[in-house]
Amino acid sequence: MKPPVHGTPRLMRAINERAALRILLEKGPLTRPELSELTGLSKPTAFQLLARLQEAGLVVNDGVRAGQPGRTAEVYRVNAAAAYVAALDVTPERIGVQVADITGAVVGEAGPPAPSPEGGGLAERLRAAIGAARPPGPLRRVVIGVQGAVDPTTGRLDYATAEDMPGWQIPDLVPTLGDGLGVTVDVENDVNLVALAEQAHGAATGCPDFVLLWADEGLGAALVIGGRLHRGFFGGAGEVGYMPVPGAATARDGGRFAHHGYQALVGGPAVQDLLRSYGVHGTDFRESVAAAVRLAEGTGRAAEEAAAGLRTVAARVALGLATIASVVDPGLVVLAGNLMSVGGERLRDLVERELRVLGVERLRVRLSAVRGNPVLVGAMDLALARVRDEVFGQATRDGGPAAAAGR
């Protein structure tokens, strides 16, 4: 048996305060007796703890709770204004923005079109997008979801061209943006953020090892191993769009960013072309997939052709997933992106069947279950987790007023 871990009074106070703040976030507002019961602390200790957190500006009185036997009880909650964060989803067409307080309540949103790179520097354009969401106070952290990924060995955005992300190919991207915006910034791959959202709120809840495949105009994947997002040495884990697969050209044929690899088989344009060969037409791949699903539910020659086209799409998706599964050995794959949301349960079932044919027999296959914009959901989760650790830890270390909202 391991000996018990002993801490100094200061350390124990810090641990208790962080635990109390987490409980108030999840279950608040609470009375002092309720907080005492949930933390396991004595009522006098809980009283002293709340006094310290109020002094630090992290907890505020939320009125009284009447209508119960005994004395009227004061209730307490986390001070929502202790810190504000922003989540951004940046695409070539649009910048989606959400601003939330430290409790996670969304207090501002915007979705302005992405300004032209000629319209100002990158930080200036992002600042304007954030400003459109009208943050009620200074931001403590900003998490930005982008196509591609920052290579930690160079500090540059990689796995995305200047056409994909115009203006982002600059040295020391993260510190440059932090200096320009005047706030701590994280730049994260958008598909990685979707995986974090699925892990916390969606189809991957409770699964420590899973792969998320984002299938849309392009392809990307995210790997969660042992409950943690795996980014890789160069930041490019999950960049499967150009992964060599049978039946597709490789980079040897046309260069790194040419039309080749997994994306050439199951990217949006490839799916649209494939379904057209089965007599299914649409103005883009989404319409083509929707038409194929609708036709396949009927009878006759058109239904048979549409069903065959969907089986071929599923076989191509499964081919890449089988390759990934043979290396990562996940317990689950989550299918996300417009190809899968439009294809729905029919396409999910076909992909699972094709995986079984390829010998991947135990891998569970689920559709994405996160509502709204999953990139923003994941970015907000990451921003809140990091700012709470920072603000709560700073306050308990300092043992006094944190001035958390403005630092």
Side-chain angles (χ1 to χ4, degrees), residues 182-194:
V183 63
T184 302
V185 170
D186 297 300
V187 177
E188 182 61 82
N189 173 261
D190 50 6
V191 181
N192 283 349
L193 293 173
V194 176

Side-chain angles (χ1 to χ4, degrees), residues 36 55 80 92 136 153 163 177 231 240 279 329 339 350 361 380 396:
S36 170
E55 183 184 358
T153 69
E163 182 180 348
L177 290 180
R231 295 178 176 85
V240 299
D329 189 28
L339 173 60
L350 289 171
E361 299 178 354
M380 185 60 72
T396 54

Side-chain angles (χ1 to χ4, degrees), residues 44-326:
T45 301
F47 177 85
Q48 294 169 357
L49 179 149
L50 281 170
R52 290 194 300 272
L53 293 178
Q54 282 184 286
E55 183 184 358
L58 294 179
V59 169
V60 293
N61 188 296
D62 199 42
V64 296
R65 185 181 299 164
Q68 295 180 332
R71 298 173 58 186
T72 300
E74 293 183 329
V75 292
Y76 299 86
R77 60 173 172 81
V78 171
N79 179 12
Y84 295 100
V85 299
L88 278 67
D89 175 20
V90 178
T91 70
E93 298 80 25
R94 188 166 294 277
I95 302 177
V97 184
Q98 281 189 343
V99 175
D101 61 40
I102 199 169
T103 71
V106 175
V107 295
E109 293 185 85
S116 166
E118 289 75 30
L122 180 57
E124 182 181 344
R125 287 181 273 140
L126 295 176
R127 190 184 307 111
I130 294 170
R134 300 186 180 277
L139 296 176
R140 186 79 180 231
R141 184 175 288 265
V142 174
V143 174
I144 305 172
V146 299
Q147 299 176 32
V150 175
D151 183 341
T153 69
T154 65
R156 288 179 172 270
L157 186 71
D158 202 355
Y159 310 100
T161 66
E163 182 180 348
D164 296 327
M165 299 295 294
W168 286 76
Q169 286 68 32
I170 59 176
D172 299 319
L173 176 64
V174 173
T176 299
L177 290 180
D179 291 342
L181 294 175
V183 63
T184 302
V185 170
D186 297 300
V187 177
E188 182 61 82
N189 173 261
D190 50 6
V191 181
N192 283 349
L193 293 173
V194 176
L196 293 179
E198 292 290 347
Q199 184 182 34
H201 312 285
T205 302
C207 183
D209 297 272
F210 71 93
V211 170
L212 181 134
L213 178 69
W214 181 269
D216 210 286
E217 288 286 346
L219 293 181
L223 313 178
V224 175
I225 302 172
R228 298 173 65 87
L229 188 64
H230 181 71
R231 295 178 176 85
F233 187 83
F234 297 107
E239 292 290 342
V240 299
Y242 297 113
M243 178 177 69
V245 290
T250 68
R252 177 185 292 117
D253 304 306
R256 183 185 181 192
F257 293 113
H259 188 61
H260 63 80
Y262 195 20
Q263 199 160 269
L265 287 185
V266 212
V271 169
Q272 185 177 6
D273 290 344
L274 172 65
L275 291 177
R276 187 182 297 116
S277 71
Y278 284 89
V280 180
H281 299 275
T283 58
D284 58 23
F285 83 92
R286 301 167 191 80
E287 284 194 9
S288 297
V289 174
V293 171
R294 185 172 59 253
L295 287 169
E297 293 174 349
T299 58
R301 179 64 182 272
E304 293 173 0
E305 285 291 298
L310 288 173
R311 284 195 299 272
T312 305
V313 172
R316 291 183 173 189
V317 172
L319 185 63
L321 285 175
T323 302
I324 298 168
S326 68

Side-chain angles (χ1 to χ4, degrees), residues 370-384:
V370 173
R371 295 183 179 182
N373 181 332
V375 177
L376 285 180
V377 173
M380 185 60 72
D381 282 352
L382 185 58
L384 287 169

